[in-house]
Amino acid sequence: SITAWVLAIVVLVAQVICFSVYINGATLVFDSDKDWVYQYVCPRDNPACRITSDVGGLGWIFFAVFLAVHLLSDIVNGLKLVWNAPRYGLSWKTCQCLFGGFCLFSISALALFSSVVYNVAISRSNLELIFNTVILLFVNDLDEKM
């Protein structure tokens, strides 16, 4: 139906805008205020720098598990839709499968990219890493809640 397509496109645009805000906040630009947090602190009176990040291997393992559990099925399903779309020949259903599969794969890939970029840029503890990951995965699940 037309209403479902309009709602799906509105949700997709909202997700892209949310993820682009996170990606933009994680960019390293010196002339503007961004969310980037430096990992190293180098005092002027000491030639040795120290690392301020407390993110350990356990935090990155949870990060990878959360992303795999939540995004892998959407990535695989999006690719399956695109792969199986030609099965219907040249029809409206083929266009719907191609568009839907491409959108599902693209938004999941964008969620993966923004999660990695944003967490590398600002997470300085395991708690921050997991917290940021859960928020970004919530944005990814907007399409399933609508």
Side-chain angles (χ1 to χ4, degrees):
S1 79
I2 301 279
T3 307
W5 278 100
V6 169
L7 185 61
I9 290 172
V10 166
V11 170
L12 184 71
V13 169
Q15 287 175 317
V16 169
I17 290 170
C18 286
F19 287 133
S20 64
V21 166
Y22 277 97
I23 292 170
N24 187 33
T27 57
L28 184 59
V29 179
F30 295 110
D31 61 348
S32 63
D33 187 29
K34 299 292 181 177
D35 295 338
W36 190 280
V37 178
Y38 293 101
Q39 184 174 359
Y40 295 98
V41 173
C42 301
R44 291 180 187 245
D45 60 346
N46 190 352
C49 297
R50 66 183 195 329
I51 298 175
T52 59
S53 177
D54 290 332
V55 179
L58 186 64
W60 289 111
I61 288 171
F62 276 114
F63 170 77
V65 167
F66 286 164
L67 286 181
V69 166
H70 287 279
L71 295 180
L72 197 57
S73 65
D74 285 346
I75 289 172
V76 169
N77 288 335
L79 289 175
K80 283 171 52 178
L81 277 171
V82 170
W83 181 261
N84 291 326
R87 175 183 302 179
Y88 301 108
L90 189 56
S91 67
W92 179 245
K93 188 162 183 146
T94 301
C95 294
Q96 288 176 330
C97 285
L98 283 173
F99 182 74
F102 176 75
C103 289
L104 183 60
F105 175 78
S106 298
I107 202 67
S108 299
L110 186 61
L112 176 67
F113 177 74
S114 63
S115 295
V116 171
V117 167
Y118 192 73
N119 279 312
V120 166
I122 73 156
S123 295
R124 293 299 164 247
S125 70
N126 288 335
L127 184 62
E128 284 181 7
L129 182 68
I130 294 170
F131 183 74
N132 293 333
T133 303
V134 169
I135 288 174
L136 287 163
L137 289 174
F138 174 76
V139 172
N140 187 59
D141 282 345
L142 283 178
D143 56 349
E144 295 171 12
K145 304 296 182 203
M146 297 272 177

